[in-house]
Amino acid sequence: MRCLTHGWRYDVCPGQTIHEPDDGVARFLVQVVDGTILGALGERRCTGMEDGLGAANTRRAMSRRVESVERGVPVQDETLMRLASVHAMGATTAQRWAARQPVHAWRVFSNWTQPQPGSDGMKVLLTGGAGDLGTVLTPLLEARGATPLRLDIVPPTDPGGVYVAGSILDRDGLTRWLAGVDSVVHIAAWHGIHETTGAKDVYAFWDLNVTGTMNVFEAAHRAGVTQVVYLSSTSVRHRASLYGHTKVLGEEIAQTYKTRHGMQVVILRPRGFIPHWNRAVYASFVAWLAWFWRGAVHIADVARAVVGSLDRLATSAEVPPMALVVDGAYEYTAADLAAWDAEGPGSTFKRYYATYYDLALRYGLQPAEKPYIYDLSETHQWLGYVPRYSLRHALEDLARYGPTGPPWPEGRVSSTVASTSSMPPRK
C-alpha cells in the first residue's frame, strides 16, 4: 500500500501498525478480496492522511491509476470504511463519520498501481459525476486508462471511478480536488426539467449554473488545469428561460477564461439527452421514445463527444473557436425534411421504417411527427464526431425489449434527479 501523504509504499498484513518517521502512526486495516488488497485508514491514522491529496507534490508522488474494487464485501466488516477517499479529500467531520460506516465496498484511495501499458494515465474530474452522463462516461474513460474523479453531492449508484464527495459551490474544496488533475469535464447544473417542474428557482439556477461554473473555471486556473470540457446546451436558443440564460452565461464564462488565461476549452452544446432509464423523468422506454422521436441525442453519443473533446485537448493546441452542437443520428435527409409527408401523413416515416409502422401506432407514437435536426458539420470537423444511435435503433430496441426498453447500464438504478441531462428540446 502507498501512504497518501509521503508516497511511501508498504507491504502490510491485516491489522498491522506501521510507524512513519516524525509524523505519528498510520494504521492500515486491510482485507483481501479476490486477490485485491482493500485498505482503510484506522482511527490512529497519520495526520497528513487527512489532506494528503490536497497537495500538488503529493499528487505528483502518487501513481496514476487505482485498482478496481468489486462490490460484495460483507456489510458487517467494520475494518473497511466506506469511501475512504473522503479522508484524503479533506471532507467535513460529518462526511468522515459517514465514511467509517461499514457498507458495501467502493473504490478507495489505496493499493495504487502504475498505469497499464498504453494508458494515458490521466486524472479527469467529472463535476456532477454521479449523474447519468458521469455514469456513462466513467467506463469509457477507464477503458482508456484514465481515472475519473466523480465529484458530486451524492454517491454514484455504480462502483466505477473514484467518488469525491463535494459541491462545486465549495471553493476551498475545489482547490483541493483539482490538485494534480489533468482535465475537467464540467457537467454539474440544474436543468430545464428543474425549471419546468418548479423544483428550482432563479436563485438556485444562478448559484449552481453561473456561480458554480465560475468557481470551476477559477479553481482550475489556480490549480494549473488548462483543459476543460464545458457541457452547455442547445437551450441557449431560449435565452428567456432560466436554464437557457444560465447556459448562455456559462458559455461566456468559458470563453472568457479561454481568452483571459489561455485555457484550452471545448464547449459542447448537446440537445436533450436524458436517458431512458431515468425514471424521475420517463415512466417507460415508450415515454422516452416519444420524446426522442422529435429529435434528440442518445447519452452514449454525448459521452463519445466528450471523449473526442478530451482527445482534442490532449493532442492539439488548437481548440474550436465556437460551441459545438451534439445531436443524434438520423436516417432522414435534408430533402426529406423539406418535403415532409408530401405523400400523406406518416409517408416519410414509412419510407424508412415501414416494418415498424404498426408497432409505433400500437404504442401511441406519431409517425407523422417531424423531427428538428441540427447541423453537425463543425462538430464533425473539429472532433470527428459521428453519432451512432438513431430512430432505427430506438425502434429496434422497442421491438426487442418492449415498453421497458433495453437493459440499463450495469450497476445503474433509477435516477431520482436529472442531474446531468438536459430537458427535451423546444422548437
Side-chain angles (χ1 to χ4, degrees), residues 142-167:
E142 289 184 315
R144 299 156 58 86
T147 299
L149 305 179
R150 303 172 70 176
L151 173 63
D152 212 310
I153 59 174
V154 296
T157 57
D158 63 289
V162 177
Y163 174 51
V164 181
S167 167

Side-chain angles (χ1 to χ4, degrees), residues 2-9 51-65 109 112-115 121 123 149 175-182 222-225:
R2 180 179 295 243
C3 169
L4 303 183
T5 304
H6 307 96
W8 300 329
R9 185 179 296 277
D51 55 3
L53 285 182
N57 61 339
T58 302
R59 279 285 196 174
R60 286 192 291 270
M62 294 172 60
S63 52
R64 290 287 194 173
R65 186 175 173 86
F109 279 101
W112 289 80
T113 62
Q114 293 297 329
K123 285 190 176 71
L149 305 179
T175 299
R176 295 191 301 272
W177 304 324
L178 281 163
V181 165
D182 296 290
R222 294 188 182 194
V225 181

